[in-house]
Amino acid sequence: MDEKGLPEEKVLELLAEFQRRDMTYTSGRILGSMCTSSHPLARRVYCDFLESNLGDPGLFRGTRELESGVIGMLGELLSEPDAAGHIITGGTEANLMAMRAARNMAGAEKPEIIVPKSAHFSFRKAADILGLRLREAELDRDYRVDVESVRKLISGNTVAVVGVAGTTELGRIDPVEELSEICLDEDIHLHIDAAFGGFIIPFLRETGAELPEFDFKLQGVSSITVDPHKMGLAPIPSGCILFRDASYLDAMSIETPYLTEKQQSTIVGTRTGASAAATWAIMKHMGREGYRKLALRVMGVTRRLRDGLVELDYQLVVEPELNIVAFNHPTMGPHELADRLEELGWAVSVSSCPPAIRVVLMPHIMEEHIELLLRDLEGIRLR
Ligand code: 0PR
């Protein structure tokens, strides 16, 4: 640190230089992210609530009510209006909390969790932090978890089974109904990672799309991760963990002797209320109708990309169910294709299972961006 401070103007000037090196969502060039431009209303509210601290909620009673309000709205959306939970930093923290609750409730000697091979890497972190053995279930030909494989991995030490509603790489939805039945029979915590899918599957279903059930309507589901900072249009960080009832939060609550709340179940102590306020604002502003329209729009853009790729003889990994398209060049490997696209200014990501170029059609990707991308992909095909 320098001895003397700089004038504000100078600091801002320096920062602008750094920020110019960042990519922007609005350029339409970020094709592999699950985050997107946040709504101007959400940004404004975020700044307004910057100083609130939900780690000491008795001081910020209004903001605490906003957090409860979001939990209520999301609980209702996911078929359990009395669900309990918190607004936290994102899917990683939500999955960690779910695994912690499941472990504490079960009390197994050598706790194990069963996750699909397609599960997000946050479960590896959770297993490491919580001392859980991670068992990976196989996928079927459609890249959904193979239910028989899950069944075979269940043992007396299993404390949780995880299903994914909207996998990170391909946007697949696991057969949650069958997982729910197994977990009810075996009395095992079933956690659904709908970090990505939670803000789009329910709305697509409302428009008549034939997508499977994945939420608390299925009695075996104990907890759900859903991230407002993905398809919910909330600013980063905003994740949400929902439990069927408050007993799961009690199972991991710690006494907090001198704070305004006497028990705390979140991992983080001092934590911003800005995320909860901004998420509340955007959900109130969008309403179900707004999210339905958004879901239909991104699926339209997804279809345009899918059709264009097929016309150009690129190979789709699977028919997209949600707004993620994974594909391959008929001869060139995905890493080489990713490099070519990068040279042309596109930031794509490469999936691992199977290796393919993966494009997430987030709300910042417009039809015109896809037309440009397809033109570049055509150029690559002709070379
Ligand atoms: N669960 C699922 C199904 C996810 O896809 C993700 C993140 C998480 C949990 C973890 O969420 P947080 O990252 O909020 O903790 N999926 C993306 C991924 O890891 C996140 C992402 C977002 C990656 C933007 C890149 C990027 O530019 O691929």
Side-chain angles (χ1 to χ4, degrees), residues 33-35 90-92 95 120-122 166 168 193 195 227 229-230:
S33 170
M34 284 191 167
C35 296
T92 300
N95 289 337
H120 187 256
F121 54 80
S122 48
T168 307
D193 183 357
D227 275 1
H229 73 196
K230 295 190 167 72

Side-chain angles (χ1 to χ4, degrees), residues 19-40 43 196 228-231 233-238 297 301 345-348 358-370 372:
Q19 202 166 31
R20 260 197 296 278
R21 284 180 234 157
D22 289 352
M23 289 189 78
T24 61
Y25 297 112
T26 47
S27 67
R29 295 270 161 175
I30 300 183
L31 299 176
S33 170
M34 284 191 167
C35 296
T36 193
S37 298
S38 48
H39 192 283
R43 287 177 197 220
F196 183 67
H229 73 196
K230 295 190 167 72
M231 285 301 292
L233 300 186
I236 303 169
S238 186
R297 184 173 72 72
V301 181
W346 299 102
V348 292
R358 157 184 174 271
V359 175
V360 190
L361 286 307
M362 291 302 288
H364 60 268
I365 311 287
M366 304 292 171
E367 286 255 2
E368 68 249 34
H369 302 128
I370 292 308
L372 290 173

